[in-house]
Amino acid sequence: MRLVLLGPPGAGKGTQASAIISKYSIPHISTGDIFRENIKKGTDLGKQVEAYMNKGLLVPDELVVSIVKDRLTKEDCKEGFLLDGFPRTVNQAEALDEELKNMNLKLDKVINIKVGKDILIERAIGRRICKNCGATFHIKFNPPKEENVCDKCGGELHQRDDDTVETVEKRIEVYHEQTKPLIDYYDKKGLLLNVDGSKPVEEVFNEIIASLEGDF
Ligand code: ADP
Ligand code: ADP
Ligand code: ZN
């Protein structure tokens, strides 16, 4: 299964990604996670992308595309993959198409998670991430059993630097300008599956699986 998850910031892409990859045993490729990991480690790439991310802007296409191309050639992507947060511009989508064509592969579906602006802001502001294992929680919608402690590994939870009201609003604006055109792009190719992301996590997941398996 070769899948792309599309949706505005805070829509629930990462949350659904964890469930989807465990059901289909495919790797989760999140460009946002790759960048955050590089920032944490202080790599050259991390230094190049940090300012863009903190301003809520997209990282330049050249930096993102080469990382994803490289990742797709890894052994664990042979049977499929789930791209989360990539592509985010038409340019990136075209580069992905070209790379898959070279590899003689095709995307199976693009899952578009739709959520309105007010819910997005509330979700992103309340998001908490485990510093150790990266698991995602929400102070109201998916609280950890113990405040600020990860249920999975006991690690400390923290807030992403870009999850402030101001930056989230900027990211939503950037999404409308640069990422939303991809809905049309993939719809024209007959790959798009629209999912109502405003419902609870499990309902959204069930809807995704039902549409992927053709049980409408
Ligand atoms: P994205 O990867 O699209 O930015 P996340 O999966 O990180 O989104 O989700 C954003 C926040 O919203 C997280 O705190 C997550 O726990 C919470 N969340 C995700 N899906 C739902 C949902 N269906 N209902 C309520 N809260 C959700
Ligand atoms: P979100 O919760 O907003 O969907 P992500 O973790 O996917 O967050 O992305 C966080 C930030 O990383 C983005 O705001 C952007 O700066 C950068 N980023 C991630 N993926 C891409 C991409 N495909 N193209 C450009 N920038 C990206
Ligand atoms: Zn953890």
Side-chain angles (χ1 to χ4, degrees):
M1 192 88 81
R2 294 179 186 86
L3 304 171
V4 167
L5 268 180
L6 205 63
K13 299 183 295 299
T15 301
Q16 295 302 327
S18 333
I20 296 169
I21 59 152
S22 101
K23 180 165 172 77
Y24 293 113
S25 304
I26 47 176
H28 176 198
I29 307 176
S30 157
T31 41
D33 285 350
I34 294 173
F35 291 146
R36 279 184 290 275
E37 192 64 22
N38 275 274
I39 291 174
K40 202 164 117 188
K41 287 187 185 150
T43 66
D44 279 348
L45 176 68
K47 287 181 187 126
Q48 281 174 288
V49 300
E50 192 168 14
Y52 294 102
M53 288 177 72
N54 287 340
K55 284 189 200 126
L57 301 174
L58 294 185
V59 166
D61 288 337
E62 316 81 82
L63 289 176
V64 191
V65 168
S66 60
I67 288 165
V68 175
K69 276 189 180 174
D70 187 53
R71 182 67 186 85
L72 290 177
T73 62
K74 298 279 181 323
E75 188 65 29
D76 65 341
C77 291
K78 281 231 160 72
E79 300 303 319
F81 51 78
L82 173 64
L83 285 167
D84 163 10
F86 181 93
R88 254 181 159 97
T89 63
V90 171
N91 213 344
Q92 291 177 19
E94 286 169 352
L96 175 64
D97 279 348
E98 199 188 303
E99 183 64 10
L100 290 175
K101 200 169 152 206
N102 290 339
M103 296 169 83
N104 253 323
L105 297 174
K106 274 196 174 134
L107 287 177
D108 290 304
K109 286 291 171 201
V110 174
I111 303 157
N112 179 34
I113 306 183
K114 296 170 74 162
V115 176
K117 188 176 170 185
D118 292 348
I119 299 183
L120 291 177
I121 294 177
E122 193 180 10
R123 284 191 188 171
I125 300 307
R127 167 163 47 196
R128 297 292 182 274
I129 311 276
C130 173
K131 276 187 181 170
N132 180 46
C133 76
T136 299
F137 297 86
H138 190 283
I139 50 170
K140 187 162 151 197
F141 304 128
N142 177 25
K145 290 194 185 80
E146 196 182 326
E147 205 180 318
N148 276 322
V149 178
C150 175
D151 289 353
K152 295 191 176 139
C153 76
E156 191 190 339
L157 303 186
H158 77 127
Q159 199 167 8
R160 263 167 57 173
D161 289 342
D162 60 348
D163 277 343
T164 60
V165 179
E166 229 181 20
T167 313
V168 173
E169 280 180 342
K170 181 67 192 168
R171 281 153 58 204
I172 294 173
E173 196 184 305
V174 166
Y175 165 82
H176 281 285
E177 282 166 14
Q178 294 179 267
T179 309
K180 219 175 171 190
L182 289 182
I183 295 176
D184 227 29
Y185 180 91
Y186 285 121
D187 199 17
K188 285 194 179 121
K189 291 181 186 283
L191 292 175
L192 200 70
L193 283 181
N194 286 306
V195 173
D196 176 2
S198 65
K199 295 183 202 156
V201 173
E202 247 129 78
E203 282 180 45
V204 179
F205 179 65
N206 291 338
E207 196 179 326
I208 291 175
I209 300 305
S211 1
L212 280 178
E213 308 203 339
D215 175 20
F216 295 101

